[in-house]
Amino acid sequence: MPKVAIRFTLNGSEAAEFVESGTTLLGALRDKLGETSVKGGCLQGTCGACSVIIDGALKLSCLTLAESCQDARIETVAALARGGLLHPLQRAFVETFATQCGFCTSGMLMAAKALLDHNATPSREDVIEAISGNICRCTGYEPIIQAILAASRAATSTAA
Amino acid sequence: MELRKSYFADERDDHLVEVGKPRARTDALGHVTGASRFFADRNFPGMLHLKMVRSPHHHARIRAIDTAAAERLPGVVRILTARDVPHNLYTILTLIQVGPEDENVLATDKVRWQGEAVAAVLALSERAATEAAARVAVDYEVLPAVLDIDAALQAEAPIVNEYHGRNYYRYDSGECRKVRYGDVEAGFRAADHILDQTYSSSPIEHAPTETTGCIVVPEPGERFTCYTNTQAMFFTLDVVAMILEVPGHRLHMVGGTVGGGFGGKVDVIVEPIAVLAAKLTGRPVSFIYSRAEEMQVSSPRGAERIRIKDGVLRDGRIVARQVTAWLDAGAYSRHSTYGAQKAAAHFPGPYTIPNVAVDSYCIYTNRTPSSAMRGFGVTIGDFALEVQMDKLARLVGMHPLEFRCLNAYRDGDMKAHRQPTEGAALVECMQEASRLAGWPMAQHFYAMSSRRREA
């Protein structure tokens, strides 16, 4: 199988690897770069567990080819906390019991971050729409919706 | 959260330390930072990937398995079949003395459901394993299949599972689990109305976001570390030891973080073959279900059919309840014999009924083996019972909540399976539910108590 060189920025640091052509970004992140904060739930683009942010846009890493990410900026949940401080979304997820088994959490947080990055004061409907591609089998979604709304309020009040 | 303290006020110590106060989950910090370690968040040098060759037929005899073409594919390391498994017959509940062993790790002479494991391919990559699995040639003689409870109970039905010899589980009490209390026929004769209804349900898949799997690493001294998302660590350890015929101290099960279980990860399915594969190849082995396998191969909640025949008096008291329940276990017992047993004890519901008869059957069919799922043996039963309660209330012209309060069990009442009722709170729950829902009952129902039956 021919190998291709890939190089991109992962959570602010340069990452380079050789992968088999056709390797998904999910496979490259987890198996080659040890970035196991990204989860694979269905490998067919239906569950959202593998969501990452590529050049500012929310993407499914299981449907993205690693070789299509040359020179891209890739963010995973591992980069949300800065200098030991949790991101407001992370704090809100802890405080509102928005995590249960934890398997969807990484992707859910990425979907929420992509939303807040583009819309600091989302409505409840905006939040529901933003996480509609992410399946959670434990919480029933309501604590997650509440967490994202709480994080947006916290961030807005800090800014003001 | 609000604690309603007016109920059982004289019985409660209100110096509560933890109850009523939120407490952070111990695993939440790991989950929100992506640091929680799930079993698959590991990679070992030289790790092999296991893919199963699975039966495309519901019921078939295996004439021959030809692995030669698959073995020649690049990246394929080994292909395991039934003869590689030391003790290739098991059932999980033998650990609590419930037999017989009725299931193969890898099929021997027959497959009994579509998706049954026939051969295990070990390869350097998942892709190579998948391609090789598709090249294993299995010669099947297709047999007539039994695909529902009715078909299973036909006199001339094919036998699904020869280890049982008939299409239902034989309990020590006979062809089903039975509960007999009072005289149900006398109860029907005394009743003003009889309501006889049948309820049925389809299998339900747990669909955890993390699929079932494990990674096994051989350690020095013929020991093995198994990283698994099982919900049953000790059952898994013991069952693997029995199948491999190795002492349990050779096995180190590592688990704890489960990406959704709901009962679907209680069966011991992936670990025995993965540990065996690691033993026979001397290499780490990863066996992780694809999403398709999780949906089609992992045990669902079984289909059920429940017939409830009730006798009720004009004033609303239920005087007789007869329940016949059939649980579709699929091709193998797994936890279903226990589920059907639990159903038998549960079936009269939380009501005091003087005459009860329950027959609960565990049925074998050529369907995906069913097993544990969130209150298995009682959840579908509760659906049936409570729909029946609503129908009975309508039949006698009563408010559904008042009808339930009237029949609710109270402390000291004997249950049909002869456990006296203790700590009942059903009446109080309905009182509070009626308030919260704004669905009032007549005043005297709010004066009722689970502590005693009113005169």
Side-chain angles (χ1 to χ4, degrees):
Chain A
M1 194 70 65
K3 294 220 172 181
V4 291
I6 53 165
R7 195 186 64 184
F8 46 69
T9 306
L10 175 60
N11 296 331
S13 303
E14 192 183 344
E17 254 301 342
F18 290 98
V19 297
E20 285 182 6
S21 186
T23 300
T24 63
L25 178 61
L26 175 68
L29 289 174
R30 285 181 56 86
D31 302 337
K32 293 288 184 176
L33 298 165
E35 182 51 50
T36 54
S37 70
V38 187
K39 305 300 178 197
C42 69
L43 313 187
Q44 57 192 28
T46 55
C47 81
C50 69
S51 301
V52 297
I53 295 176
I54 304 177
D55 291 330
L58 188 68
K59 298 282 183 189
L60 295 167
S61 64
C62 78
L63 294 187
T64 304
L65 291 180
E67 57 208 273
S68 74
C69 298
Q70 298 291 3
D71 302 319
R73 274 182 305 109
I74 297 169
E75 296 167 67
T76 72
V77 75
L80 265 189
R82 288 281 160 80
L85 273 184
L86 292 183
H87 185 282
L89 276 167
Q90 292 172 308
R91 260 202 315 279
F93 267 58
V94 172
E95 283 164 10
T96 62
F97 287 78
T99 70
Q100 202 161 312
C101 85
F103 202 78
C104 76
T105 306
S106 307
M108 202 63 87
L109 280 165
M110 285 293 100
K113 180 172 190 290
L115 169 68
L116 296 189
D117 284 351
H118 296 103
N119 177 2
T121 55
S123 66
R124 180 184 167 84
E125 286 64 38
D126 294 335
V127 171
I128 291 170
E129 173 67 26
I131 62 168
S132 63
N134 294 71
I135 290 175
C136 170
R137 288 285 288 145
C138 305
T139 65
Y141 299 100
E142 191 56 35
I144 296 173
I145 296 166
Q146 293 304 325
I148 297 169
L149 289 171
S152 101
R153 283 193 300 272
T156 316
S157 67
T158 315
Chain B
M1 183 167 74
E2 182 205 350
L3 285 180
R4 187 57 61 87
K5 296 188 173 180
S6 51
Y7 298 101
F8 309 116
D10 56 328
E11 293 178 31
R12 196 179 49 245
D13 174 2
D14 268 338
H15 302 291
L16 302 175
V17 179
E18 296 288 349
V19 175
K21 295 175 189 126
R23 212 183 197 311
R25 294 179 61 97
T26 53
D27 55 6
L29 196 61
H31 290 347
V32 299
T33 55
S36 294
R37 213 156 185 221
F38 292 82
F39 86 92
D41 295 341
R42 293 177 174 84
N43 208 344
F44 296 93
M47 186 164 79
L48 302 179
H49 297 264
L50 192 157
K51 282 285 168 195
M52 278 296 177
V53 177
R54 298 190 177 280
S55 166
H57 304 295
H58 299 293
H59 195 191
R61 196 168 305 287
I62 297 176
R63 290 201 195 96
I65 303 174
D66 183 358
T67 60
E71 274 163 352
R72 282 195 296 273
L73 290 178
V76 175
V77 171
R78 183 154 177 177
I79 299 177
L80 306 179
T81 56
R83 73 178 93 86
D84 295 302
V85 186
H87 181 71
N88 189 21
L89 190 61
Y90 77 119
T91 195
I92 296 151
L93 294 181
T94 50
L95 298 170
I96 54 168
Q97 289 79 50
V98 178
E101 294 175 316
D102 69 351
E103 181 166 5
N104 296 140
V105 176
L106 294 174
T108 51
D109 55 330
K110 261 179 74 171
V111 286
R112 298 179 178 85
W113 58 284
Q114 190 189 77
E116 180 154 4
V118 175
V121 177
L122 293 150
L124 298 175
S125 68
E126 226 181 308
R127 187 185 293 187
T130 304
E131 285 174 10
R135 297 283 282 276
V136 171
V138 184
D139 182 13
Y140 293 103
E141 175 197 342
V142 177
L143 301 172
V146 166
L147 295 175
D148 61 39
I149 290 164
D150 283 332
L153 294 177
Q154 299 286 323
E156 60 299 348
I159 296 295
V160 171
N161 189 319
E162 292 74 8
Y163 297 103
H164 297 283
R166 51 182 86 76
N167 289 339
Y168 55 86
Y169 184 72
R170 193 159 178 89
Y171 289 93
D172 51 14
S173 52
E175 72 284 5
C176 59
R177 264 291 176 236
K178 299 174 189 177
V179 175
R180 297 289 183 271
Y181 184 67
D183 181 343
V184 77
E185 291 305 329
F188 289 137
R189 284 194 297 277
D192 294 314
H193 304 282
I194 302 286
L195 182 66
D196 187 345
Q197 302 279 289
T198 299
Y199 305 86
S200 58
S201 68
S202 297
I204 302 172
E205 165 56 32
H206 316 71
T209 45
E210 177 206 45
T211 62
T212 302
C214 66
I215 294 176
V216 182
V217 181
E219 310 284 1
E222 277 281 289
R223 297 165 83 99
F224 301 89
T225 304
C226 178
Y227 303 94
T228 166
N229 60 8
T230 181
Q231 291 178 262
M233 295 289 282
F234 291 95
F235 268 39
T236 302
L237 192 153
D238 288 344
V239 168
V240 174
M242 289 163 76
I243 289 168
L244 268 72
E245 296 179 330
V246 300
H249 66 77
R250 298 261 177 85
L251 305 169
H252 180 199
M253 297 290 155
V254 180
T257 303
V258 179
F262 320 111
K265 292 169 180 166
V266 168
D267 292 344
V268 185
I269 307 294
V270 292
E271 295 89 353
I273 189 68
V275 177
L276 178 66
K279 183 171 194 272
L280 294 178
T281 61
R283 298 172 70 155
V285 170
S286 166
F287 180 18
I288 305 178
Y289 277 0
S290 66
R291 177 54 54 185
E293 286 177 303
E294 190 66 41
M295 300 305 282
Q296 292 169 4
V297 171
S298 76
S299 317
R301 183 199 292 285
E304 293 184 42
R305 196 172 65 200
I306 300 162
R307 178 178 172 192
I308 307 175
K309 182 179 174 188
D310 285 334
V312 63
L313 300 181
R314 248 177 243 108
D315 66 7
R317 282 175 295 158
I318 304 169
V319 289
R321 171 161 284 174
Q322 182 175 33
V323 182
T324 314
W326 299 266
L327 168 63
D328 184 346
Y332 298 107
S333 295
R334 298 200 181 167
H335 287 84
S336 290
T337 53
Y338 170 69
Q341 168 165 314
K342 192 146 58 95
H346 184 77
F347 263 124
Y351 306 105
T352 295
I353 301 171
N355 304 293
V356 172
V358 180
D359 287 340
S360 183
Y361 292 84
C362 176
I363 305 292
Y364 299 103
T365 65
N366 293 110
R367 298 179 77 182
T368 310
S370 64
S371 196
M373 183 181 191
R374 313 192 97 180
F376 68 122
V378 306
T379 310
I380 303 299
D382 278 338
F383 159 76
L385 286 172
E386 297 308 322
V387 172
Q388 179 87 355
M389 291 298 282
D390 282 345
K391 289 180 181 176
L392 286 170
R394 274 200 292 277
L395 186 62
V396 296
M398 277 184 79
H399 183 307
L401 289 180
E402 293 175 357
F403 177 69
R404 284 175 173 81
C405 279
L406 179 70
N407 287 288
Y409 60 6
R410 319 295 172 89
D411 281 0
D413 288 353
M414 185 58 73
K415 296 185 204 168
H417 60 293
R418 290 170 183 76
Q419 291 259 354
T421 305
E422 292 172 45
L426 179 58
V427 168
E428 289 74 11
C429 283
M430 285 186 293
Q431 289 166 346
E432 188 58 23
S434 117
R435 288 190 177 105
L436 282 172
W439 193 21
M441 301 186 286
Q443 204 51 45
H444 67 276
F445 288 99
Y446 296 99
M448 283 184 172
S449 165
S450 289
R451 291 291 161 268
R452 67 203 160 272
R453 187 169 293 279
E454 57 287 346

